[in-house]
Amino acid sequence: MAGKAILVLGGGIGGVVAANKLRSFLKEDRITVIDQSPAHSFTGSYVWILNGKRSAVQVERNLSGLVKKGIEFVQGNVSSIEPAAGKIQVDDIELGYDYLVVSLGADLEPETIPGLCCTGINIYTADGLEAAYRELLKFQGGRIVIAICRKPYKCPAAPYEAALIVDDMLRRRGIRTMVEIEIVTWEPAPMPTAGPAMGEAIVSMIKPRGINCRNNATITSFDPDLNHLSLEGGEVVPYDLLFYVPPHGCAQVVRDAGLTGEGGWVPVDPGTLATKHENLFVIGDATAIKLPNGKMLPKAGVFAHKHAEIVAAEIAAHIKRSAMPEPYLGEGYCFIETGKGTAGLAKGNFYAKPDPRIEARKPSRLLHWGKIGFEKYWFWKYL
Ligand SMILES: Cc1cc2nc3c(=O)[nH]c(=O)nc-3n(C[C@H](O)[C@H](O)[C@H](O)COP(=O)(O)OP(=O)(O)OC[C@H]3O[C@@H](n4cnc5c(N)ncnc54)[C@H](O)[C@@H]3O)c2cc1C
């Protein structure tokens, strides 16, 4: 195939959408997705692994399926990115590029908190969610703690959705009165970037269900023998069953390439996702985008998706020498599964001044079915 070589690093949400969009705009150019994993695991369905409505395998699709769309796929570990030379290394193969889209997400780093490697269940992986589901089926009563370890973490609604789903499952099993559920978090309120109204909306979902939330609580360590976590200030929080959101960090290869800035994530133009390097774009969870109110854009699939669409349109316009697309203006949304077959929705503009303008829609069956419809659409459209 003639034309330009476009490499898309990562076959997660940003990478898969970018590659599909690029292919729809460009017929002659070579588009290659590279991922260490053979399959895409769709995190939009992850909450349903926790209540057994989906298995890890059911939410996976092979990335080799991209080939039938005219997108090449290479499975391998990206071990270096050299912006000045316009090349990358995948295992022992060197690949040159004309345009590079980096969508390598966020690495999960439980090992960075003392004791965390040897206790509890990581609910930010599909396997961890399956393990959590199995534990919930046999739990007989006691304290379940959902620990949000560090800032930032992806999908700020997910731990609250997890708490609501745990509550629902235990009610269905008839043992809810024998269980305390507590979220322990550094956050002053749920989803703090989205503003106080969003925080209140989440509290109004969890409080009536008897879920306690311990805010402004910075976790310093976990004790796997005594089954408790310690907070800054010395207080300890006991648990019988621990589910945790581990600390996140930018992929090592992105750090080694010198792409990260202060805070350890990649500074990009909020509208175009351009970096300081020509023809090199970084999208999704790897980015650091400061909002007008000084907070950072949350890490979520919806933003990776929007970033991917913009960057694909920009690269296509550059290659075709046509007009540049409108920049990304910060719109986003997020379903919030509440268990009981209902879901809420947060929707609005995160780039609004002086603060994000986010509207919360009350949980309903219709929104739950909307989320299921979105899952089906996503697989059909992109994989
Ligand atoms: C439990 C849970 C629920 C969530 N629910 C939602 C939701 O409902 N809505 C929503 O908007 N967001 C949700 N998210 C967040 C969403 O998953 C992320 O924000 C989104 O996937 C980010 O997209 P990305 O392309 O930046 O990174 P990812 O989708 O994480 O993709 C990164 C890819 O890069 C690959 N990779 C990493 N390093 C290398 C390397 N060195 N070499 C080769 N490949 C590499 C990985 O294998 C991965 O496939 C959820 C996340 C979790 C954990």
Side-chain angles (χ1 to χ4, degrees), residues 12-14 35-36 43 76-78 103 105 124 155 284-285 300-302 304 371:
I13 290 183
D35 202 294
Q36 62 203 359
T43 50
N77 176 48
V78 179
S103 195
Y124 262 40
C155 194
D285 288 353
V302 62
K371 185 169 162 85

Side-chain angles (χ1 to χ4, degrees), residues 79-164:
S79 53
S80 89
I81 300 170
E82 295 177 51
K87 63 181 188 183
I88 65 150
Q89 183 88 20
V90 187
D91 296 329
D92 51 4
I93 311 167
E94 198 173 272
L95 296 174
Y97 63 80
D98 296 300
Y99 296 87
L100 184 68
V101 181
V102 179
S103 195
L104 291 173
D107 283 353
L108 303 180
E109 302 178 333
E111 67 284 356
T112 58
I113 300 197
L116 187 54
C117 59
C118 323
T119 186
I121 297 175
N122 177 353
I123 55 163
Y124 262 40
T125 68
D127 289 348
L129 286 161
E130 283 192 337
Y133 170 60
R134 287 192 298 271
E135 286 300 321
L136 287 171
L137 289 182
K138 57 182 191 216
F139 194 63
Q140 290 304 324
R143 276 178 57 75
I144 299 181
V145 166
I146 298 177
I148 305 175
C149 292
R150 291 281 180 271
K151 178 185 178 176
Y153 68 95
K154 54 187 164 183
C155 194
Y160 298 94
E161 293 178 287
L164 289 161

Side-chain angles (χ1 to χ4, degrees), residues 17 19 27 52 63 88 97 114 133 138 158 182 221 238 265 291 304 307 317:
V17 173
K27 302 299 166 214
L63 285 164
I88 65 150
Y97 63 80
Y133 170 60
K138 57 182 191 216
E182 183 169 64
S221 64
W265 304 93
L291 303 177
H307 293 171

